[in-house]
Amino acid sequence: MGKGQKLSLITTPIYYINGDPHIGHAYASISADILARFKRFDGFRVHFCTGTDEHGIKVARSAEKAGIEVREFSDLMSQKFRDMGRTINLSEDDFIRTTESRHIRSAQVLWKRLEKDIYKSSYSGWYSARDEEYVAENEIVDGKAPSGAPVEWMEEESYFFRLSAYQDKLLDYYEKNPDFIAPIARRNEVVNFVKSGLKDLSISRSKFDWGIQIPGCEQHVMYVWIDALANYITSLGFPDNEEYVSEMMANCVHIVGKEILRFHAVYWPAFLMSAGVTLPKRVFAHGWWTHDGQKMSKSVGNVVDPFETIKEYGVDQLRYFLFREVRFGEDGDFSEDALKNRISYDLANDLGNLVQRVLAFIQKLDGCLTTNYDFSSEERALFANARSLIQKVRPLMEKQDLHSALGTVWDLVSESNKFVNDMKPWELAKTDPERLNAVLTVLCECIRAITFGIAPFMPDTAKKIFDFINTEGRLFTEIDCNFVDQKFLTPIPLFPKDRK
Ligand code: ME8
């Protein structure tokens, strides 16, 4: 391990493979990708992992329905999520499948570590296969789980985890680590849930066998959620190299959808406490997308397909839209009109024109900025804004406030456009070429800062702009190099209107 290098672990949920990837999966993955890329630009050693959750009754039934043997079905479906990663430009360091032998070993070792808190009894109660979740009697609404999923009665011998013993420890942990769960409203829900009393958790199934076998017990497989949560430490190499696992976990941000926060903020930390593994630094629960005001569902046929959307509008366009349109943590509604508006106003008009105008002017100066000018106070102010952009964005990214981070970058885009309009470089070109140099130098500083600001969000677009301005663009520390005597390239439009 590079001594002294700051570490960062970023995770996405691992996705069930009972259906095709949709925009919700893309959303969770892109958010984590943005955070991972930001940390890499900031000099961190990052481990960014994603993958597929392949065991459990839900997947077994989907394979059966498709008439395909479950292992073959898993290979086929898992590949679709890998393909989604390529399409959305995911920079994951590891794609983990829960059917891999490294994971089976890790989950079984985790189980052994939990054994002091495990006992055998029998379970009878409701279960929602769609949510892979036990549903308490008092949570049933109109005969269904709170998510609306059907429930089925389950009665079987089962191993239990003594979750009740962790109630006070968890509450104590939440109190001592107020930033552990975000956003704050979700944190309060979790705290109230734990305060209302924790029951021991059934953690094995004996009525089907599509799961990880419990060490020393052939009749039982693990409850799919123990198996699934263990993926995060498997990816770090657990049970080997525990020092690294601990250091990474201490710097871990789990990105999850709001519906699975309870698993990550209650069960997972309790398992980790029991197993003596370091808890993650933070669990961030994001909101849900609807489509034109309606819940997305296969039966309604209104699921937004990330592959199709990207084919039509472009990957950076979608990546930008998802985090600009809605505050991360809140629910959002997807509409093509809203996406088109963002592309046309924010991207083509604001950012695209800024880059195009400024760089086209530099071409008129033979593609070079030649003087270090004595800047006016207004120019100095804008220059300073550009240089401090990342300092403003960093604390927002630390809170996973991706929406405000983009907003802050766009403030500089607007200021820069206003500066172009005020300074009228097309007039300076005729009257005062030296001054034009100064104005364009300041604007280039802005463009470079903006490009670093957008790079985690829109990597392809950033790469294009970095190429135009001849900047390497690997680390934020490169933000303040000198432009003088450097060759700029002729820009090509970043967001052409006739793309398609
Ligand atoms: O829950 N809007 O997997 P899953 C926004 N395997 N995000 C959405 C969404 C929507 N409409 N639909 C799905 C599981 N997501 C478990 C996780 S982790 C150890 C195990 C996103 O395939 C959201 O992030 O049901 C959600 O948590 C995730 O996909 C769940 O995917």
Side-chain angles (χ1 to χ4, degrees):
M1 201 184 321
K3 277 284 170 222
Q5 195 176 10
K6 297 169 289 179
L7 303 178
S8 168
L9 169 64
I10 311 277
T11 73
T12 77
I14 50 168
Y15 306 111
Y16 288 129
I17 50 166
N18 58 307
D20 289 348
H22 64 69
I23 197 80
H25 304 123
Y27 181 58
S29 287
I30 296 170
S31 70
D33 185 65
I34 293 167
L35 295 168
R37 285 178 188 266
F38 188 90
K39 287 285 183 192
R40 289 193 198 107
F41 274 110
D42 225 3
F44 283 71
R45 173 172 174 185
V46 174
H47 185 80
F48 168 30
C49 57
T50 186
T52 43
D53 187 358
E54 305 186 8
H55 292 126
I57 193 82
K58 171 153 92 170
V59 170
R61 284 180 185 164
S62 300
E64 207 176 285
K65 209 164 142 205
I68 305 176
E69 193 272 322
V70 67
R71 267 177 207 284
E72 197 186 323
F73 179 78
S74 298
D75 290 346
L76 198 85
M77 296 304 291
S78 177
Q79 186 58 42
K80 294 190 181 188
F81 284 85
R82 244 186 236 273
D83 294 346
M84 176 184 81
R86 301 296 56 80
T87 305
I88 60 178
N89 213 346
L90 212 65
S91 63
E92 78 274 19
D93 299 296
D94 188 15
F95 185 101
I96 179 163
R97 300 182 56 184
T98 53
T99 45
E100 287 172 85
S101 56
R102 62 169 169 157
H103 178 67
I104 293 166
R105 172 171 169 247
S106 156
Q108 287 178 334
V109 172
L110 179 67
W111 179 282
K112 294 290 285 178
R113 296 268 183 96
L114 300 179
E115 266 174 357
K116 67 176 186 328
D117 285 317
I118 292 178
Y119 61 91
K120 211 177 200 177
S121 180
S122 64
Y123 180 84
S124 61
W126 297 104
Y127 192 77
S128 154
R130 200 166 87 193
D131 305 322
E132 291 285 14
E133 187 170 8
Y134 301 93
V135 186
E137 194 72 50
N138 63 1
E139 287 179 314
I140 304 268
V141 189
D142 297 334
K144 297 207 156 130
S147 65
V151 290
E152 53 200 284
W153 187 255
M154 221 178 86
E155 253 182 63
E156 61 187 46
E157 185 188 53
S158 169
Y159 286 97
F160 281 78
F161 175 76
R162 219 177 289 284
L163 186 64
S164 55
Y166 287 86
Q167 178 166 346
D168 292 341
K169 292 186 185 106
L170 286 168
L171 289 171
D172 187 51
Y173 189 78
Y174 302 148
E175 198 174 313
K176 293 202 173 107
N177 298 276
D179 296 328
F180 176 56
I181 304 167
I184 191 86
R186 303 253 164 245
R187 174 182 193 273
N188 296 341
E189 283 170 18
V190 169
V191 171
N192 290 337
F193 170 74
V194 175
K195 275 190 181 155
S196 74
L198 291 179
K199 290 210 180 71
D200 291 350
L201 186 69
S202 164
I203 51 166
S204 75
R205 303 294 307 269
S206 57
K207 294 257 166 80
F208 65 93
D209 62 3
W210 183 235
I212 297 180
Q213 201 195 309
I214 278 157
C217 172
E218 276 184 14
Q219 299 78 39
H220 287 250
V221 293
M222 282 179 208
Y223 172 39
V224 66
W225 268 101
I226 285 220
D227 164 350
L229 288 162
N231 96 84
Y232 301 125
I233 53 175
T234 304
S235 181
L236 295 172
F238 182 83
D240 303 326
N241 209 348
E242 286 215 35
E243 197 190 332
Y244 176 68
V245 175
S246 294
E247 283 183 58
M248 272 294 186
M249 285 300 282
N251 293 288
C252 167
V253 177
H254 289 309
I255 298 295
V256 301
K258 63 182 182 180
E259 84 292 357
I260 56 170
L261 178 60
R262 190 186 288 184
F263 296 95
H264 286 82
V266 182
Y267 304 163
W268 181 226
F271 296 156
L272 291 172
M273 282 177 188
S274 173
V277 178
T278 308
L279 270 58
K281 185 169 82 177
R282 189 159 163 96
V283 183
F284 186 96
H286 69 73
W288 269 52
W289 284 87
T290 48
H291 183 195
D292 292 330
Q294 266 193 309
K295 192 172 172 209
M296 280 183 259
S297 95
K298 258 196 239 166
S299 50
V300 180
N302 66 344
V303 175
V304 180
D305 176 344
F307 298 98
E308 286 300 315
T309 312
I310 286 171
K311 204 158 114 199
E312 177 135 11
Y313 296 101
V315 59
D316 280 1
Q317 287 84 337
L318 179 67
R319 289 175 64 114
Y320 173 79
F321 169 80
L322 291 173
F323 297 94
R324 180 67 164 148
E325 187 71 3
V326 174
R327 183 167 291 283
F328 193 48
E330 288 171 13
D331 293 335
D333 185 46
F334 185 92
S335 86
E336 282 196 47
D337 284 345
L339 173 59
K340 282 184 200 156
N341 281 340
R342 287 285 176 192
I343 295 172
S344 136
Y345 293 109
D346 301 12
L347 297 182
N349 287 1
D350 295 347
L351 176 62
N353 276 348
L354 173 69
V355 172
Q356 189 68 30
R357 290 204 284 183
V358 172
L359 298 184
F361 265 110
I362 296 180
Q363 287 312 306
K364 292 197 175 151
L365 302 175
D366 296 331
C368 280
L369 294 167
T370 49
T371 51
N372 264 328
Y373 199 79
D374 192 12
F375 293 121
S376 69
S377 62
E378 200 191 0
E379 285 158 359
R380 259 200 298 275
L382 187 54
F383 193 95
N385 273 354
R387 287 274 166 104
S388 63
L389 182 70
I390 296 303
Q391 276 96 293
K392 286 186 211 142
V393 169
R394 187 178 288 116
L396 299 169
M397 297 298 277
E398 223 26 62
K399 291 190 292 183
Q400 295 79 42
D401 188 352
L402 305 181
H403 181 258
S404 304
L406 269 184
T408 305
V409 177
W410 248 257
D411 287 345
L412 187 59
V413 173
S414 306
E415 274 181 78
S416 308
N417 273 321
K418 183 175 178 305
F419 186 69
V420 174
N421 294 340
D422 291 350
M423 299 313 291
K424 301 190 177 51
W426 51 93
E427 287 183 7
L428 291 178
K430 290 181 225 144
T431 56
D432 191 348
E434 211 174 309
R435 183 113 204 110
L436 177 65
N437 248 306
V439 165
L440 293 177
T441 303
V442 175
L443 285 165
C444 276
E445 283 292 335
C446 293
I447 288 176
R448 181 165 49 195
I450 289 163
T451 309
F452 273 106
I454 64 166
F457 293 85
M458 298 193 279
D460 287 351
T461 305
K463 168 89 178 61
K464 285 184 198 156
I465 309 177
F466 280 138
D467 284 348
F468 298 157
I469 64 174
N470 229 325
T471 296
E472 187 95 55
R474 284 174 299 117
L475 287 169
F476 290 137
T477 44
E478 287 158 1
I479 207 161
D480 54 1
C481 60
N482 201 332
F483 278 127
V484 170
D485 290 333
Q486 173 192 309
K487 187 79 185 150
F488 290 83
L489 305 183
T490 308
I492 43 162
L494 293 170
F495 307 102
K497 288 215 164 47
D498 56 356
R499 118 170 262 293
K500 267 183 209 180

